């Protein structure tokens, strides 16, 4: 993997807060990368370090092999798209998109050609003569994107680009952004606090926690093999059991042994959590390595599948299972007893960090 952007041990402090704490990461060419994490974890600061709007207190920012740490934002081959879009209200869509190239004093014919090209890609050609106020939220978003893309940056940085859109449009634009990135072949680095958004769009995700990277990898890796309790709880739903590591898994104070494979970083006797995804629980519990019985508390239908909550003696939180709709006839009614099971291979033993 050739690194297009390399952040090397970057630190950025604001007074006593270390917003970015010795972060290193590399963005590949042509990659859709997401910085994900809860509010205040340092995502925006990291993005602004790459863009050049913040300087690191220590560490380096390399772009395309060159040290850009002291280079001004405008001189970097990156473009940051702001959440507010910042379109000029009195200008047409085409003029908004052309603006940046006019500032660069490019020949008129080249501007026309590049604007036409990018409007086409963003599916805005038919709207070229409209003003921003005559556009929908999603269309405005596309104009902002077109305006950023027309400058042909090596990296496009997007800070919560879909935050202003309603849910349905946001889902549509997630796919749209991905298509666009694929088509233009530019590296995208997006900031989001929405885990679903990151999983849907990104080739790789860096999940941040208090200024550091908790885990970096493809979405499926973070989902299936979370490195810590924090990662497992931030991404998707998870059932957790707290206890002590034993050779066969985890010893829970009231449930006894829960089977799972012990990762190398955990030693027998360590305090840890065993985690299992709701979709790994089954009502065909008889031949499973782990079985828990309890009373059905709630059944909720969700289109293609159902979520059931089961109260288990000795557990504070109810167990959540996601079952296929075909399981419906085998689930007892609310209040009745049920046994759920899962295999040891689907248990994840996690340190409590
Ligand atoms: P959000 O999702 O809420 O935007 P974030 O993950 O993008 O959060 P940052 O905006 O990078 O987080 O902020 C990280 C930390 O640095 C926070 O504690 C924030 O209060 C602090 N911080 C950011 N910018 C400044 C600043 N200019 N002055 C002082 N503190 C700042």
């Amino acid at each position: 993997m050739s690194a297009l952007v390399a952040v090397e041990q970057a630190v950025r402090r604001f007074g006593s807060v270390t917003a970015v704490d010795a972060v290193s990461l590399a963005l590949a060419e042509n990659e859709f990368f997401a910085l994900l994490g809860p509010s205040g974890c340092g995502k925006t600061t990291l993005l602004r370090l790459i863009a050049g709007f913040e300087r690191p207190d220590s560490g380096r920012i390399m772009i395309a092999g060159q040290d850009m740490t002291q280079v001004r934002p405008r001189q970097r081959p990156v473009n940051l798209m702001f959440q507010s879009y910042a379109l000029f209200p009195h200008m047409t869509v085409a003029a908004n998109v052309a603006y940046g190239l006019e500032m660069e004093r490019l020949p008129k014919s080249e501007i026309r050609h590049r604007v036409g090209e990018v409007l086409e890609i963003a599916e805005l050609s038919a709207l070229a003569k409209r003003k921003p106020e005559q556009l929908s939220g999603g269309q405005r978003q596309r104009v902002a994107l077109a305006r950023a893309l027309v400058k042909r940056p090596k990296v496009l940085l997007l800070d919560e680009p879909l935050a202003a859109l309603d849910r349905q449009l946001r889902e549509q634009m997630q796919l749209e952004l991905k298509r666009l990135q694929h088509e233009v072949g530019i590296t995208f680095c997006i900031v989001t606090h929405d885990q679903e958004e990151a999983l849907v769009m990104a080739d790789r995700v860096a999940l941040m926690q208090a200024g550091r990277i908790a885990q970096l990898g493809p979405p499926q890796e973070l989902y299936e093999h979370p490195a810590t309790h924090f990662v497992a709880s931030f991404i998707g739903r998870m059932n957790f059991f707290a206890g002590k590591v034993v050779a066969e898994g985890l010893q829970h104070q009231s449930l006894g042994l829960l089977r799972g494979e012990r990762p190398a970083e955990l030693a027998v006797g360590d305090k840890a959590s065993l985690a299992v995804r709701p979709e790994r629980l089954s009502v065909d519990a008889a031949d499973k390595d782990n079985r828990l019985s309890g009373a059905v508390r709630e059944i909720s239908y969700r289109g293609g599948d159902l979520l059931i909550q089961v109260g288990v003696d000795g557990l504070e939180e109810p167990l959540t299972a996601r079952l296929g709709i075909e399981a419906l006839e085998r689930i007892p009614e609310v209040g009745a007893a049920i046994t759920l099971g899962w295999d040891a291979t689907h248990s994840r033993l996690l340190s409590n960090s």
Side-chain angles (χ1 to χ4, degrees), residues 335-352:
I338 189 171
T339 300
L340 293 167
W342 74 96
D343 279 329
T345 49
H346 293 139
S347 296
R348 298 281 168 255
L349 273 159
L350 303 167
S351 69
N352 285 333

Side-chain angles (χ1 to χ4, degrees), residues 8-58:
E8 298 175 358
Q9 291 291 315
V11 175
R12 180 69 176 108
R13 292 188 199 92
F14 298 105
S16 61
V17 176
T18 305
V20 171
D21 191 0
V23 165
S24 295
L25 60 80
L27 309 189
E29 278 191 35
N30 225 332
E31 168 169 54
F32 203 130
F33 194 90
L35 293 171
L36 172 69
S39 181
C41 71
K43 311 177 289 291
T44 299
T45 305
L46 182 52
L47 199 74
R48 288 169 59 82
L49 283 170
I50 298 172
F53 292 108
E54 297 285 349
R55 298 277 166 87
D57 294 305
S58 59

Side-chain angles (χ1 to χ4, degrees), residues 296-318:
V296 178
R297 281 209 195 149
E298 206 180 297
I299 304 174
S300 40
Y301 306 91
R302 309 188 325 150
D305 53 18
L306 25 132
L307 279 185
I308 67 167
Q309 310 276 345
V310 175
V312 176
D313 281 346
L315 282 185
E316 268 176 40
E317 298 281 324

